[in-house]
Amino acid sequence: MSKPVILLLGKIHPRVVERLQDGFHLLRTPPGQPVVLSEDEASSVRGIAVAGVVPGALIDSLPNLEIIANFGVGYDGVDVAAASRRNVIVTNTPDVLDDEVADTTIALLLNTLRRFHSAETYLREGRWEKEGPFALSPLSLRGRHVGLYGLGRIGGEIASRLRPFKVKIGYHTRSQKSGVDYDYYPTLEALAEAVDTLICIVPKTAETHKAINADILKRLGPEGVLINVGRGWSVDEDDLMAALKAGTIAAAGLDVFYEEPKVPAGFFDLPNVSLLPHVASASVVTRNAMADLVVDNLIGWFESGTVKTPVPETPVAKK
Ligand code: NAP
Ligand code: 8YV
């Protein structure tokens, strides 16, 4: 029997290729360029492995497509509505990255408050010996009230890690979560009003677009700190930059940006931001686990008609 054809899109993790190459026929397209397939190629494709974008037009141009396996828990790059219309399964990589992303969030929070990045640069530049101790950090985690915008798989892990830091914890989600004793706020406005530290870990959806804007930042207040590890989409970057410059809030730590990999140059000049190039899950061990889940979903589908981690919107039909 001929091997199922999988189209690899974007800069796909090498382990995905390694594990798929024996059992599947792999079609690769040059990264960063439009996907151009012959008619025969298009009709041969039964699966897609992707780290990035799958537009509806591409889905519609592949008549025999059965499954899209997304590398990443956030699957906002995939046109899920178009996939569902065509009865195409979409899978993502939840759970296996929760701990890594939560660890990174705590590191980014501490780095933003205590400016360890600047302190290390100071040491490396030989300034400690010449000029004496590094300046005291104006901000600290001591006594903070932290609000989570999102308390799902990753938000829950962030909250658990915050507990031993002895900070007060609250959250806003659309539905109140059972089994947690953090204070619930029914609106983002109410959460921002109550806390001084806001951690954004919601998905990219129409509802979360630029939800963190000038009004929310003003509510956080002059001691306020924003940490974004969700999607850049959820923050109005112009409003954030203005708030950081004017002292409307005190500092921000960002792992994600509106138009990655472009980072607004204005952030580089601000001493009160800590910037990371979307690395929250980027360790070898965690990215390998994500790659394995991409492959397990594809193998499961083509061997037994089952997938481990379908996204909620997907039609989970048996072959
Ligand atoms: P999840 O388990 O689905 O949790 C999402 C949380 O957001 C839930 O608590 C949900 O609660 C809440 N939420 C969704 N829409 C909301 C809205 N409009 N208003 C308020 N709350 C809302 O997802 P996850 O696995 O924790 O991942 C979350 C996101 O993190 C991903 O989608 C991805 O974009 C991002 N992420 C980033 C990195 C990185 O490298 N920086 C890594 C992994 C994930 P309700 O449904 O009750 O509202
Ligand atoms: C990855 C992420 O950096 O899982 C997600 O949603 O944002 C990150 O873990 C990204 O998916 C890699 O393409």
Side-chain angles (χ1 to χ4, degrees):
M1 217 172 72
S2 64
K3 295 175 180 178
V5 175
I6 305 292
L7 176 63
L8 303 178
L9 291 179
K11 200 171 175 299
I12 204 83
H13 192 285
R15 191 174 176 112
V16 172
V17 181
E18 220 171 84
R19 280 194 58 202
L20 287 179
Q21 63 196 359
D22 288 342
F24 296 85
H25 179 75
L26 303 181
L27 264 185
R28 304 200 78 154
T29 60
Q33 288 184 32
V35 181
V36 182
L37 299 175
S38 69
E39 211 173 303
D40 281 353
E41 282 174 331
S43 65
S44 72
V45 172
R46 295 177 63 195
I48 290 177
V50 62
V53 177
V54 188
L58 177 63
I59 294 172
D60 289 338
S61 73
L62 305 173
N64 296 307
L65 183 63
E66 297 168 41
I67 178 168
I68 300 169
N70 183 64
F71 183 92
V73 65
Y75 50 95
D76 42 86
V78 179
D79 188 336
V80 182
S84 297
R85 275 197 299 276
R86 287 273 320 282
N87 232 21
V88 170
I89 304 289
V90 179
T91 63
N92 64 344
T93 59
D95 305 318
V96 295
L97 43 52
D98 296 351
D99 288 330
E100 203 73 72
V101 177
D103 290 353
T104 309
T105 308
I106 300 299
L108 181 57
L109 172 62
L110 287 170
N111 210 27
T112 304
L113 292 164
R114 299 292 320 285
R115 299 187 173 182
F116 294 129
H117 52 299
S118 305
E120 183 164 351
T121 305
Y122 185 83
L123 179 153
R124 285 174 183 273
E125 288 172 351
R127 293 177 62 191
W128 184 17
E129 203 179 338
K130 285 192 206 125
E131 299 173 37
F134 184 69
L136 304 184
S137 65
L139 302 174
S140 164
L141 189 55
R142 301 300 93 238
R144 285 207 163 250
H145 187 177
V146 183
L148 284 139
Y149 176 33
L151 194 74
R153 290 169 293 242
I154 300 171
E157 288 297 336
I158 297 170
S160 315
R161 278 160 179 71
L162 283 169
R163 268 187 191 282
F165 286 99
K166 297 176 268 186
V167 292
K168 207 171 158 195
I169 302 170
Y171 72 100
H172 163 63
T173 50
R174 289 164 303 179
S175 55
Q176 187 165 0
K177 307 299 164 201
S178 55
V180 296
D181 59 2
Y182 314 121
D183 298 326
Y184 176 67
Y185 294 87
T187 63
L188 178 57
E189 286 77 7
L191 178 71
E193 194 70 49
V195 304
D196 54 26
T197 308
L198 184 63
I199 299 179
C200 173
I201 185 67
V202 285
K204 176 177 175 178
T205 66
E207 283 176 310
T208 62
H209 186 226
K210 294 191 180 179
I212 299 172
N213 55 20
D215 172 57
I216 297 297
L217 297 169
K218 188 155 176 264
R219 287 168 194 265
L220 270 185
E223 291 296 307
V225 170
L226 171 70
I227 302 297
N228 190 8
V229 282
R231 285 286 182 264
W233 166 265
S234 301
V235 173
D236 185 317
E237 289 180 339
D238 291 335
D239 286 1
L240 175 60
M241 206 158 337
L244 287 164
K245 278 184 187 158
T248 310
I249 66 165
L254 309 172
D255 180 53
V256 286
F257 299 88
Y258 199 87
E259 209 187 332
E260 294 175 6
K262 288 184 193 152
V263 177
F267 283 133
F268 299 150
D269 301 327
L270 296 177
N272 49 349
V273 283
S274 180
L275 306 168
L276 296 177
H278 200 146
V279 293
S281 68
S283 69
V284 169
V285 65
T286 296
R287 289 288 172 86
N288 280 347
M290 292 163 68
D292 280 339
L293 198 42
V294 168
V295 173
D296 291 347
N297 278 314
L298 288 168
I299 291 178
W301 180 250
F302 288 106
E303 281 187 353
S304 61
T306 57
V307 291
K308 280 186 166 174
T309 51
V311 304
E313 301 92 332
T314 214
V316 187
K318 214 164 151 41
K319 258 205 306 186

